[in-house]
């Protein structure tokens, strides 16, 4: 196997408390040494990372690949390429594929497709209930045996709290992580925007924050009751942050993530009726964003995800409420994380931890760190390259992003997955520095 | 609306989708133009040739008799050719997308779409995606806007009160679901009234409604005190079953407009209602038919205001900023 050395980069590895300039040595698909020079190492490939940052490959807890079942929106091939260009080396695929991930056969299919695409670290999240119908438990043990890393019902509602309780108990029986999108369907109804001043002004059906925070409170109670390992996905509001904070304070085994765009956009940023801003949970109020940022800084929110949801053009063409929600966001994950550090003063180490060390810990993966002996998943990025998001440099099949044609600062230049250099930014693009 | 698509570069009205973003001068111009059309209906030949040769398509994705009829009448009196398409029972029911429907119709060389749709933003979407030479008038989209209704209401208020400065206006009832109320609030504030109040139980008020420039009140007496204009809204009976209200009678007891309640307003108050009215649910018959009611004048004014807007967006009359 290829031997690589990444030289002269600023190595930031939160898991090992490293932030220094020095080399990273890779051989046989694994990290050999970090910062300590290995004189005898004879590299096949040398990457000069001068002026760049070297960190563990990013781990994204929620990425829709749209395959199987929705290949008009994206394919495993196209979306994993976008992931690699984004520095993401491991990703979790939510179960709402078509068919959904409720049998081992679907898990195998995804595994095969991902390997064929050259991205072996697609982790399927199994359906919590059969067909995601919210009423009958899935064969969680079989799903785990097939390789599912967690179970979830995606965006689909559960019939009642008893089903959630049983699902938690059963997941706990097999030591499966339960990933939960908190939403009381009867409160969110057909809402498509945050129930606030903007939705009121434009007559858009609103979703109150309480649709999320009430569901979250119930779920936390049941996690306490059942001992289930719980991860709360894509929280969006102040009250959810407070509830997670309290639960952690009282010793509950719970983690949480938020989507990167929730840390930036609010209802006030929405261009009225522009379907690129149609996302669920919706963009909330400025106070909510403030709490999300604070929650991330304090560690209440563990991880940041892309919540990548590529769509075809048709899905976003129509009156706002009838368009499909979601943003194609893999390729903006890192630049927006860097923007967050610039805007809030959050340290780079903290931001990177939310994309690497923390999700690895949630998934119990031996990844997200540049520890010698670990699989060599590495992301090298230049924090100062400015680039414009457009057709020329966008790899996802979904162009449904509010950042289309906007300029981003910070770009991945190299991605190494399992010791293989799987993505390299063209030199001409890499020279476009600020 | 940050990306303003309603005006041409020279400030003429290209589409009429919402009151938002239009200034007082333009709204006043609509009212003045409407004024000039009021006589047309009284002539022996109720037609002017301003839009001769133009083709207007009424696209009604949602049923409406009153609005559709007044738009048809307005177009006819301007000598335009009018086609009314009831989309609810045609193409989209067969699975055709909104955009495909529009593309097919615009291929028939029309000049204007008058659009009513059950979803907020639909008229805006059509205006953004239709051919550049086509104008779009929003005849009501979801809970968002119904700007021509608001303008005919403004026209009626001006007929009676002469000016907007210093007026206190109360809008009563189902504000939450009302596109008319949203457009009225914007129009009243743009035209410079002193105060707009909305009066409704909390179940029928939009979240943070005060951000729209209104005072929100739950008590009728307090809300009606010294107002110059009361605009009652239709209580959408179909929503009664969705736990918005316990019963029609309780709503009428709390928020119904009766002679007694009207005593709290100014003696020369006018009573308005965009219709259709539910007698005994939001308004007592004695008030609806009483001397302060201008409800039927609103209907008459609807034709003149829609004639004004149609000519302005098609460049046939006035329209300069």
């Amino acid at each position: 196997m290829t031997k690589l050395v990444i030289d002269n980069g600023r190595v930031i590895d939160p898991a090992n408390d490293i932030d220094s300039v020095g080399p990273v040595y890779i051989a046989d698909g694994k990290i050999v040494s970090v910062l300590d020079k290995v004189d005898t190492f004879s590299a096949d490939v040398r990457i000069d990372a001068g002026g760049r940052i070297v960190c563990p490959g990013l781990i994204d807890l929620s990425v829709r690949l749209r395959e199987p079942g929705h290949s008009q929106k994206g394919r495993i091939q196209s979306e994993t390429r976008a992931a690699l260009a984004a520095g993401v080396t491991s990703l979790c695929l939510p179960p709402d594929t078509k068919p959904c991930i409720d049998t081992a056969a679907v898990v195998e299919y995804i595994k095969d497709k991902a390997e064929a695409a050259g991205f072996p670290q697609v982790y399927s999240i199994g359906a919590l209930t059969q067909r995601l119908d919210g009423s009958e438990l899935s064969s969680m043990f079989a799903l785990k045996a097939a390789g599912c890393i967690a179970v979830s019902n995606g965006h689909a509602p559960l019939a009642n709290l008893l089903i959630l309780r049983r699902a938690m108990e059963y997941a706990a029986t097999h030591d499966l992580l339960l990933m939960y999108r908190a939403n009381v369907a009867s409160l969110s109804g057909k809402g498509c925007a945050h129930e606030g001043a903007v939705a009121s002004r434009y007559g858009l059906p609103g979703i109150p924050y309480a649709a999320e925070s009430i569901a979250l409170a119930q779920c936390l109670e049941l996690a306490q009751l059942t001992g289930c390992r719980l991860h709360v996905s894509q929280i969006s509001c102040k009250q959810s942050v407070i509830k997670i904070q309290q639960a952690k304070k009282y010793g509950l085994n719970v983690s949480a993530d938020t989507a990167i765009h929730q840390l930036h956009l609010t209802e006030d940023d929405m261009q009225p009726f522009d379907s690129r801003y149609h996302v669920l949970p919706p963009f909330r109020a400025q106070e909510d964003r403030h709490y999300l940022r604070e929650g991330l800084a304090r560690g209440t929110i563990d991880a940041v995800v892309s919540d990548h949801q590529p769509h075809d053009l048709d899905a976003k063409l129509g009156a706002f409420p009838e368009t499909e929600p979601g943003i194609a966001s893999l390729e903006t994950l890192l630049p927006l994380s860097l923007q967050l550090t610039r805007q809030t003063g959050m340290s780079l180490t903290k931001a990177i931890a939310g994309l690497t060390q923390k999700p690895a810990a949630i998934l119990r993966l031996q990844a997200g760190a540049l520890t010698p002996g670990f699989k060599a998943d590495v992301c090298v990025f230049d924090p100062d390259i400015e680039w414009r998001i457009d057709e020329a440099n966008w790899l996802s099949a979904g162009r449904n992003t509010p950042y289309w044609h906007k300029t981003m600062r910070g770009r991945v230049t190299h991605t190494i997955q399992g010791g293989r250099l799987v993505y390299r930014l063209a030199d001409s693009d890499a020279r476009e520095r600020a | 609306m940050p990306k303003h698509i309603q005006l041409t570069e020279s400030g003429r009205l290209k589409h009429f989708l919402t009151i938002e973003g239009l200034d007082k001068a333009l709204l006043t111009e609509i009212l003045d133009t409407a004024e000039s059309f009021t006589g047309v209906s009284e002539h022996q030949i109720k037609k002017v040739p301003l839009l001769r040769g133009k083709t207007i398509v009424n696209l009604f994705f949602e049923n409406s008799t009153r609005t559709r009829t007044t738009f048809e009448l307005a177009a006819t009196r301007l000598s335009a050719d009018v086609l009314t398409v009831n989309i609810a029972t045609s193409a989209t029911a067969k699975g055709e997308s909104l955009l495909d429907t529009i593309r097919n119709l615009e291929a028939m060389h029309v000049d204007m779409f008058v659009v009513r749709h059950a979803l907020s933003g639909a008229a805006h979407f059509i205006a953004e995606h239709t051919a550049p030479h086509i104008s779009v008038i929003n005849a009501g989209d979801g809970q968002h806007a119904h700007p021509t209704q608001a303008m005919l209401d403004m026209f009626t208020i001006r007929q009676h009160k002469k000016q907007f400065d210093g007026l206190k206006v109360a809008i009563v009832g189902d504000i939450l679901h009302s596109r008319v109320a949203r457009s009225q609030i914007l129009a009243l504030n743009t035209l410079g009234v002193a105060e707009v109040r909305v009066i409704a139980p909390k179940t029928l008020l939009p979240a943070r409604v005060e951000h729209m420039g209104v005072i929100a009140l739950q008590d009728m007496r307090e809300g009606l005190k010294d107002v110059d204009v009361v605009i009652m809204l239709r209580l959408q009976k179909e929503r009664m079953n969705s736990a918005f209200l316990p019963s029609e009678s309780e709503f009428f007891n709390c928020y119904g407009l009766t002679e007694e309640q009207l005593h709290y307003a100014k003696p020369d108050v006018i009573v308005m209602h965009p219709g259709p009215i539910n007698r005994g649910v939001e308004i007592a018959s004695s008030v609806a038919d009483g001397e302060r009611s201008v409800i039927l004048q609103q209907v008459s004014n609807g034709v003149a205001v829609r004639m004004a807007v149609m000519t302005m967006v098609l460049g046939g009359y006035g329209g300069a900023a």
Side-chain angles (χ1 to χ4, degrees), chain A residues 200-203 267 317-318 321, chain B residues 20 120 125 144 182 186 206-208:
Chain A
S200 291
R201 186 176 192 87
Y202 293 102
E267 57 173 346
L317 271 180
Chain B
E20 185 169 4
S120 302
F125 173 77
H144 170 225
R182 285 177 175 81
L186 288 166
R208 304 175 77 194

Side-chain angles (χ1 to χ4, degrees), chain B residues 23-41:
Chain B
D23 61 17
K24 186 176 179 178
L26 189 49
L27 297 191
T28 304
E29 190 184 345
I30 292 172
L31 299 179
D32 291 345
T33 309
E35 191 88 53
S36 70
F37 284 127
T38 50
V40 173
S41 303

Side-chain angles (χ1 to χ4, degrees), chain A residues 366-423:
Chain A
Q366 204 183 68
L370 301 177
T371 307
F374 273 30
K375 197 180 276 188
D377 293 340
V378 185
C379 168
V380 182
F381 64 92
D382 187 324
D384 294 320
I385 290 181
E386 288 196 350
W387 58 292
R388 186 171 181 263
I389 294 178
D390 56 31
E391 294 86 348
N393 52 37
W394 191 256
L395 293 175
S396 169
R399 289 168 181 181
N400 48 302
T401 166
Y403 296 104
W404 194 253
H405 289 158
K406 301 264 168 66
T407 297
M408 290 276 152
R409 190 169 151 205
R411 196 164 182 192
V412 174
T413 60
H414 301 79
T415 305
I416 293 146
Q417 189 182 50
R420 285 194 311 129
L421 180 60
V422 285
Y423 172 77

Side-chain angles (χ1 to χ4, degrees), chain A residues 15-82:
Chain A
N16 290 302
D17 203 18
I18 292 173
D19 183 352
S20 293
V21 174
V24 175
Y25 295 91
I26 295 165
D28 298 327
K30 294 185 174 168
I31 304 286
V32 172
S33 173
V34 177
L35 299 182
D36 294 329
K37 208 159 178 180
V38 183
D39 290 331
T40 55
F41 197 87
S42 155
D44 304 309
V45 176
R46 180 179 174 277
I47 297 167
D48 182 0
R52 294 175 184 161
I53 290 167
V54 181
C55 71
L58 313 188
I59 301 171
D60 195 330
L61 295 173
S62 184
V63 178
R64 260 80 177 181
L65 301 173
R66 300 304 192 194
E67 208 179 343
H70 305 102
S71 54
Q72 79 279 13
K73 295 175 185 291
R75 292 176 180 274
I76 288 175
Q77 178 78 44
S78 65
E79 300 319 292
T80 53
R81 271 184 69 214

Side-chain angles (χ1 to χ4, degrees), chain A residues 185-204:
Chain A
S186 60
L187 279 176
S188 50
K190 292 181 180 170
C192 60
H194 171 60
E195 188 181 283
V198 175
S200 291
R201 186 176 192 87
Y202 293 102
L204 294 170

Side-chain angles (χ1 to χ4, degrees), chain B residues 48-318:
Chain B
V48 290
L50 286 168
L51 297 187
R52 183 180 290 156
K54 301 284 187 186
T55 305
I56 296 173
V57 177
N58 284 335
L59 282 174
F60 276 63
F61 295 85
E62 193 184 60
N63 291 330
S64 156
T65 305
R66 187 181 314 232
T67 304
R68 195 199 67 222
T69 309
T70 52
F71 269 109
E72 278 177 6
L73 211 51
T76 306
R77 289 191 177 159
L78 291 165
S79 305
D81 297 313
V82 193
L83 179 70
T84 294
V85 187
N86 189 357
I87 304 287
T89 57
S90 62
T92 49
K94 295 174 188 166
E96 187 174 69
S97 75
L98 180 55
L99 194 56
D100 283 332
T101 303
I102 297 303
R103 292 269 154 81
N104 276 289
L105 287 164
E106 72 185 20
M108 298 174 197
H109 303 290
V110 304
D111 299 290
M112 181 196 289
F113 290 125
V114 175
V115 179
R116 166 164 289 202
H117 199 286
L119 295 174
S120 302
H124 192 273
F125 173 77
I126 291 170
E128 275 195 318
H129 289 88
T130 197
H133 68 277
I134 296 177
S135 289
V136 177
I137 295 180
N138 184 4
D141 63 327
Q143 300 169 19
H144 170 225
H146 196 350
T148 57
Q149 175 69 46
M151 289 313 294
L152 74 88
D153 295 334
M154 298 308 113
F155 188 78
T156 310
I157 291 172
R158 195 174 76 165
Q159 273 181 333
H160 287 268
K161 301 294 175 187
K162 308 304 175 202
Q163 59 179 22
F164 293 93
D165 294 350
L167 291 183
K168 291 180 182 173
V169 181
I171 307 173
V172 186
D174 187 357
I175 314 290
L176 178 66
H177 300 104
S178 178
R179 51 195 172 206
V180 176
R182 285 177 175 81
S183 291
Q184 286 167 338
I185 290 165
L186 288 166
L188 287 164
N189 281 324
T190 304
L191 289 167
V193 299
E195 200 172 290
V196 183
R197 304 172 189 173
V198 291
I199 311 168
K202 288 189 173 179
T203 50
L204 296 179
L205 281 176
R208 304 175 77 194
V209 67
E210 64 283 359
H211 283 251
M212 295 181 70
V214 299
I215 298 167
L217 296 160
Q218 269 78 60
D219 183 74
M220 269 294 256
R221 292 178 181 184
E222 187 187 353
L224 293 183
K225 192 168 187 307
D226 296 330
V227 296
D228 301 277
V229 179
V230 184
I231 303 174
M232 299 303 295
L233 298 174
R234 182 174 79 85
L235 188 65
Q236 301 182 26
K237 287 187 179 184
E238 62 273 20
R239 303 193 189 281
M240 289 280 190
N241 298 328
S242 308
F244 285 103
L245 293 168
S247 67
E248 289 180 10
S249 61
E250 180 154 313
F251 180 78
F252 187 68
N253 284 340
C254 298
Y255 298 99
L257 189 64
T258 60
E259 295 282 356
E260 188 192 353
Q261 297 278 32
L262 213 46
H263 284 138
Y264 293 94
K266 280 190 180 162
D268 62 344
V269 66
I270 57 169
V271 175
M272 304 175 72
H273 194 305
I277 61 175
N278 295 311
R279 292 168 185 266
V281 176
E282 66 252 356
I283 189 165
S285 274
S286 59
V287 176
D289 303 330
E291 60 180 12
R292 295 188 183 97
S293 169
V294 296
I295 295 171
L296 290 177
Q297 288 172 43
Q298 289 176 264
V299 179
S300 304
N301 291 336
V303 177
V305 167
R306 280 157 186 149
M307 286 171 76
V309 173
M310 283 176 164
T311 48
M312 284 171 71
V313 297
L314 287 183
Y317 188 92

